[in-house]
Amino acid sequence: MEQLDEAVSEETPAYWVKSAEKTLAVLLAFSADEPRLTITRAAAKADLSRAAARRFLLTLTDLGYLRNDGSVFELTPRALDIGATFLSSLTLPQIAEPHLKQLAVDLDETASLCILDGTDVVYISRVLAPRMLRVSVNVGTRFPAWATSMGRVLVAGLPLASREAFFDGIEITQYTQHTVSSIAELREEVERTAERGWSLVSRELDDGLRGLAVPVRRGGDLIAALNVSLQTHRGPEATIAETILPRLQAAAERIADDFGGRGARQ
């Protein structure tokens, strides 16, 4: 063991605190797949002797980061304190970006995150599909909320009084032959969106634009809309709802969780 420690010391800086490394190794041994660990299992995952793992586990229990039930240990909510400062410093676009990147790769479609500002949607994060060669919409771009899937999701999430105020504050413009033709028709579309929890808008703002959007919720709060721009070959609405919608909803939930939604649901 002394020879091993000497070898390690030659490879690490003089300031290296081995006990800090081991402490983190024990904490990181706990995972979603194995939230409860015995001393033996924790020792194996942290690459420690059983005696050393026991000392670390008991110390972390005394400090409040773990609790034990007989021979089994598990994390406590206090373990969240370790990453809380980092998470609190992240903005929603920063948190969403890796999820948007994964979605863009998985679907080969551009993924975006939008918020509602007055009667417009504003792009706060956007990742182009791998096949895209140029950027036509950037972060900060605005579109009329009523003519987009993101906007209809966000308007559908408003309290009824605010929703009616939104309708009163807009004027329908016939951008294409597919654009909704009246406030009454728009109201029906928004109500439909509210009922089913997602929106698909095809060729209403531009003949080449088609989008699917779902809400991103933290607890009971609607914080943004997640959208993917779809190619026309993706098929009819029923096919999209069956194949693409679940993946979009899962991504929205992961974004919400990383932005504090997991704690809001507890």
Side-chain angles (χ1 to χ4, degrees), residues 17-186:
V17 181
K18 194 66 179 176
S19 59
E21 179 186 4
K22 293 178 179 179
T23 300
L24 289 174
V26 171
L27 286 172
L28 293 173
F30 295 87
S31 66
D33 293 332
E34 293 185 84
R36 293 164 57 84
L37 299 174
T38 62
I39 294 175
T40 300
R41 182 60 181 151
K45 294 191 70 177
D47 195 22
L48 298 171
S49 68
R50 190 179 186 283
R54 178 178 179 276
R55 291 197 300 272
F56 280 101
L57 289 167
L58 291 176
T59 300
L60 287 166
T61 298
D62 288 346
L63 290 172
Y65 293 100
L66 299 176
R67 56 172 165 251
N68 69 307
D69 180 12
S71 61
V72 177
F73 293 79
E74 62 184 349
L75 295 172
T76 68
R78 187 172 185 182
L80 294 172
D81 293 345
I82 297 173
T85 301
F86 170 71
L87 290 175
S88 65
S89 68
L90 292 178
T91 65
L92 179 57
Q94 288 174 315
I95 288 173
E97 185 175 1
H99 298 289
L100 296 183
K101 287 181 177 177
Q102 189 60 56
L103 199 61
V105 171
D106 289 346
L107 297 177
D108 193 26
E109 301 286 6
T110 296
S112 308
L113 196 71
C114 294
I115 59 172
L116 187 66
D117 183 25
T119 59
D120 293 335
V121 288
V122 181
Y123 286 79
I124 62 172
S125 188
R126 183 170 171 83
V127 175
L128 291 178
R131 59 185 163 74
M132 295 292 286
L133 299 178
R134 64 186 179 87
V135 178
S136 56
V137 177
N138 300 302
V139 169
T141 296
R142 291 172 173 267
F143 284 132
W146 60 268
T148 67
S149 60
M150 310 85 79
R152 290 181 189 176
V153 162
L154 293 167
V155 173
L158 293 173
L160 290 179
S162 299
R163 195 189 298 179
E164 288 303 315
F166 173 87
F167 292 138
D168 291 341
I170 63 172
E171 182 177 342
I172 298 295
T173 300
Q174 206 69 31
Y175 293 109
T176 75
Q177 62 177 339
H178 304 284
T179 307
V180 292
S181 58
S182 66
I183 294 294
E185 185 180 354
L186 175 63

Side-chain angles (χ1 to χ4, degrees), residues 225-248:
L226 177 62
N227 159 272
V228 286
S229 301
L230 299 174
Q231 301 173 71
T232 55
H233 76 256
R234 285 294 187 175
E237 183 174 303
T239 300
I240 291 171
E242 182 180 346
T243 61
I244 298 177
L245 179 61
R247 297 161 79 175
L248 194 62

